């Protein structure tokens, strides 16, 4: 039977309506920033990233990743296309299985990610997921939700949120954004949005969204202890594999592009290169040791250090906390930590950074979720970097920033300066279970002038409340 022309048109309309309703509708979260803000922040962060991380300069590999990226970009739905955004794709020559995208479009895919993928669809899956975070403007949306302090610190929080991990720390270090990097990851709600939007973008450009789910499995399997950075920055909202598969089924992709000869040849090319370094090896200033070490920041250790001022200055650290320290101490941002020290109390000795006077505040992952156990683990970790450290007495209980806290005093012989020193250690756990610590250090013979100062600094701590952990 021949269908009259008018009926055919109606049929077509009905069919396309069915397909449209089958895919999950994604609404970008509330955002008080403008798309231009995204662009500005992303460009600033990209400058930092490219100073700190080595880009892989290989035309074959670069253009391969750019091609996949651009194919996906052209499938971003019109309502999520921001004319200001400019998507770029670069390969970072480091071995961790990771990728990240900055607001407004700059994206970085680690060489380790391409090496770990089983096919092109898996590479496309991670890119589509990251792309969706950008198109949905999740970085600035996250900052819209979490604004415990003034706007000045928000930029750092946003950048840390998007980059996370080592690269985030690199940014934090370069731009004095403090601890934002460690403390903002995407919420599970945003993760699910990026998974679903990414699935739809993949399907429209001819990839099978199930390859995205497969890549997440690949990442998990290659995780090892603690899991790779990508998974910690992009937490699994639960049933990730199941709902992506369900979305994929509703998207009806036929003859999907899983693989291409180009993928095999790019992987072969990477295998012939010398192995990629770790991010930490690659970063010029990376890998500060925790404990009585600190960024040297051009400082010089001196035996004649000015006593702590009785006037105090306040600092907001990323999105995490506020702290007051003697006004003659300088702020020295590090990886997942920040040090405040007086002139002469920090510097580098034999290319090793060290601080002899002042405090370090930082965070540590806590698997046990028990304050006492986590605090003992912190001391163990500190003693690895400081073999002569020992605890004098037990833990005292108290409160820190309104939370249940512990305090202990340790003694150490600083293995860089050779001088005996005393350490006041304060710990508490944050909402997400992370261990927060404050370490005060002063030489034994000056400790009398610092004991009360450390208590006062610890007493000044105020933690931000974040609603998206
Ligand atoms: Zn994500």
């Amino acid at each position: 039977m021949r269908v009259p022309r008018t009926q055919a048109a109606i049929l077509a309309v009905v069919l396309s309506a069915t397909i449209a309703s089958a895919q999950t509708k994604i609404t970008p979260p509330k955002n008080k920033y403008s798309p231009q803000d995204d662009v500005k922040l992303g460009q600033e962060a990209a400058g930092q990233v490219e100073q700190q991380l080595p880009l892989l300069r290989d035309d074959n590999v670069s253009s391969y990743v750019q091609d996949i990226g651009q194919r996906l970009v052209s499938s971003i739905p019109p309502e999520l296309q921001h004319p200001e955004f400019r998507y770029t794709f670069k390969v970072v020559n480091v071995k961790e299985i990771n990728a990240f995208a900055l607001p407004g479009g700059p994206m970085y895919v680690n060489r380790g990610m391409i090496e770990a993928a089983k096919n092109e669809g898996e590479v496309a899956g991670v890119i589509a997921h990251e792309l969706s975070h950008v198109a949905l403007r999740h970085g600035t949306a996250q900052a819209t939700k979490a604004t415990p302090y003034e706007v000045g610190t928000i930029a750092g929080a946003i950048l840390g949120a998007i980059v996370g991990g080592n690269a985030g720390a690199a940014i934090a270090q370069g731009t004095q954004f403090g601890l934002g990097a460690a403390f903002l990851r995407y919420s599970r709600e945003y993760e699910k949005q990026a998974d679903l939007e990414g699935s739809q973008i993949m399907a429209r450009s001819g990839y099978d969204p199930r390859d995205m789910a497969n890549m997440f499995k690949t990442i998990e399997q290659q995780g090892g202890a603690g899991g790779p950075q990508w998974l910690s920055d992009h937490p699994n909202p639960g049933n990730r594999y199941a709902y992506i598969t369900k979305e994929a089924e509703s998207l009806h992709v036929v003859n999907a592009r899983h693989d291409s000869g180009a993928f095999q040849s790019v992987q072969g090319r990477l295998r012939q290169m010398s192995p990629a370094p770790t991010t930490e090896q690659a970063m010029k200033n990376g890998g500060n040791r925790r404990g009585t070490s600190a960024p040297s920041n051009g400082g010089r250790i001196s035996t004649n250090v000015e006593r702590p001022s009785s006037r105090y200055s306040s600092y907001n650290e990323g999105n995490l906390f506020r702290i007051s320290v003697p006004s003659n101490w300088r702020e020295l941002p590090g990886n997942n930590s920040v040090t405040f020290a007086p002139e002469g109390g920090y510097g580098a000795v034999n290319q090793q950074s060290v601080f002899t006077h002042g405090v370090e505040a930082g965070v540590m992952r806590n698997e046990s979720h028990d304050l006492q156990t986590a605090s003992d683990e912190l001391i163990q970790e500190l003693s690895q970097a400081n073999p002569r450290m020992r605890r004098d007495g037990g833990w005292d209980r108290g409160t820190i920033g309104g939370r249940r806290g512990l305090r202990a005093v340790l003694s150490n012989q600083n293995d860089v300066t050779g001088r005996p020193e005393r350490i006041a250690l304060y710990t508490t756990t944050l909402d997400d279970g992370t261990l927060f610590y404050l370490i005060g250090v002063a030489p034994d013979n000056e400790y009398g002038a610092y004991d009360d100062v450390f208590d006062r600094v610890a007493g000044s701590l105020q933690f931000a409340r974040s609603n998206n952990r």
Side-chain angles (χ1 to χ4, degrees), residues 82-116:
H82 306 286
E84 302 89 340
F85 284 17
R86 199 170 145 260
Y87 292 93
T88 56
F89 303 89
K90 293 182 180 171
V91 180
V92 183
N93 192 21
V94 291
K95 72 190 253 186
E96 287 87 354
I97 305 177
N98 199 6
F100 58 90
L102 300 170
M107 191 183 300
Y108 300 87
V109 180
N110 281 4
R111 178 178 156 191
M113 178 71 87
I114 304 168
E115 287 175 324

Side-chain angles (χ1 to χ4, degrees), residues 142-216:
Q142 184 110 303
T144 301
K145 281 207 291 184
T147 51
Y149 299 133
E150 303 77 39
V151 173
T153 61
I154 296 305
I158 295 170
L159 302 188
I162 290 139
V163 179
N166 285 326
I171 290 170
Q173 210 167 9
T175 55
Q176 304 206 324
F177 285 146
L179 294 164
F183 270 83
L184 272 170
R185 288 170 303 172
Y186 286 124
S187 66
R188 286 173 165 74
E189 180 199 344
Y190 292 180
E191 279 310 302
K192 191 164 182 180
Q193 282 202 334
D195 288 342
L196 295 175
E197 189 63 55
S199 297
Q200 295 169 15
I201 290 173
M202 282 184 89
R204 270 193 297 274
S205 42
Y207 289 107
D208 187 338
R210 275 167 287 215
D211 281 338
M212 183 200 296
N214 288 334
M215 185 67 207
F216 295 161

Side-chain angles (χ1 to χ4, degrees), residues 86-424:
R86 199 170 145 260
Y87 292 93
T88 56
F89 303 89
K90 293 182 180 171
V91 180
V92 183
N93 192 21
V94 291
K95 72 190 253 186
E96 287 87 354
I97 305 177
N98 199 6
F100 58 90
L102 300 170
M107 191 183 300
Y108 300 87
V109 180
N110 281 4
R111 178 178 156 191
M113 178 71 87
I114 304 168
E115 287 175 324
K118 294 202 182 73
N119 60 36
E120 180 173 313
E122 294 195 355
V123 178
V126 169
I127 295 179
H129 176 98
E130 296 288 347
L131 209 61
S132 302
H133 280 309
V134 176
L136 292 161
R137 304 182 55 222
H138 280 164
T140 43
Q142 184 110 303
T144 301
K145 281 207 291 184
T147 51
Y149 299 133
E150 303 77 39
V151 173
T153 61
I154 296 305
I158 295 170
L159 302 188
I162 290 139
V163 179
N166 285 326
I171 290 170
Q173 210 167 9
T175 55
Q176 304 206 324
F177 285 146
L179 294 164
F183 270 83
L184 272 170
R185 288 170 303 172
Y186 286 124
S187 66
R188 286 173 165 74
E189 180 199 344
Y190 292 180
E191 279 310 302
K192 191 164 182 180
Q193 282 202 334
D195 288 342
L196 295 175
E197 189 63 55
S199 297
Q200 295 169 15
I201 290 173
M202 282 184 89
R204 270 193 297 274
S205 42
Y207 289 107
D208 187 338
R210 275 167 287 215
D211 281 338
M212 183 200 296
N214 288 334
M215 185 67 207
F216 295 161
K217 278 200 169 166
T218 302
I219 294 171
E220 271 168 16
Q221 280 157 9
Q222 305 213 0
Q229 191 65 50
W230 194 90
L231 285 172
S232 87
D233 296 338
H234 301 265
N236 188 340
N239 302 320
R240 180 169 242 167
Y241 196 84
Y243 67 68
I244 293 175
T245 305
K246 189 160 165 269
E247 188 75 8
E249 278 159 10
S250 74
L251 290 166
H252 305 295
V253 187
V254 282
N255 297 326
R257 179 188 175 102
H258 293 280
D259 227 330
S260 64
F263 176 75
Q264 308 298 339
S265 90
V266 160
Q267 273 199 334
R269 206 174 165 85
L270 293 175
R271 270 195 292 270
Q272 283 168 0
M273 297 176 189
S274 55
T278 64
T279 303
E280 191 172 336
Q281 286 163 348
M283 274 170 52
K284 286 178 224 111
N285 305 318
N288 288 316
R289 284 194 316 177
R290 254 189 220 107
T292 50
S293 64
S296 58
N297 289 53
R300 190 169 286 235
I301 297 291
S302 158
T303 48
N304 187 15
V305 172
E306 197 180 79
R307 290 286 158 105
S309 166
S310 58
R311 297 184 54 183
Y312 277 61
S313 306
S314 281
Y315 295 84
N316 289 333
E317 292 302 331
N319 229 11
L320 179 61
F321 63 90
R322 189 197 294 262
I323 190 170
S324 297
V325 300
S327 58
N328 60 339
W329 292 4
R330 249 192 84 189
E331 182 190 34
L332 308 160
N335 286 350
N336 293 345
S337 68
V338 57
T339 303
F340 297 92
E343 211 55 55
Y346 65 93
V349 178
N350 300 329
Q351 296 183 322
Q352 208 178 352
S353 49
V354 62
F355 85 108
T356 57
H357 300 68
V359 297
E360 176 180 311
V363 291
M364 194 175 88
R365 284 222 168 96
N366 166 19
E367 307 299 340
S368 65
H369 289 265
D370 165 66
L371 177 58
Q372 172 94 52
T373 314
S375 304
D376 287 335
E377 282 166 9
L378 172 64
I379 291 191
Q380 268 176 24
E381 193 177 314
L382 291 172
S383 4
Q384 278 170 15
N386 302 276
R388 292 176 215 219
M389 180 186 285
R390 62 184 166 75
R391 190 170 73 193
D392 306 333
W395 291 103
D396 294 328
R397 292 177 191 286
T399 55
I400 294 168
R403 292 162 182 274
R404 202 166 61 83
L406 295 174
R407 181 184 190 273
V409 175
L410 304 105
S411 50
N412 185 38
Q413 186 175 343
N414 192 303
D415 63 351
V416 179
T417 64
R419 285 186 292 179
E421 61 189 9
R422 196 163 296 188
I423 298 166

Side-chain angles (χ1 to χ4, degrees), residues 13-31:
V13 168
V14 170
L15 270 180
S16 68
T18 311
I19 289 166
S21 67
Q23 68 177 44
T24 309
K25 172 106 181 72
I26 310 291
T27 310
K30 201 173 111 213
N31 199 319

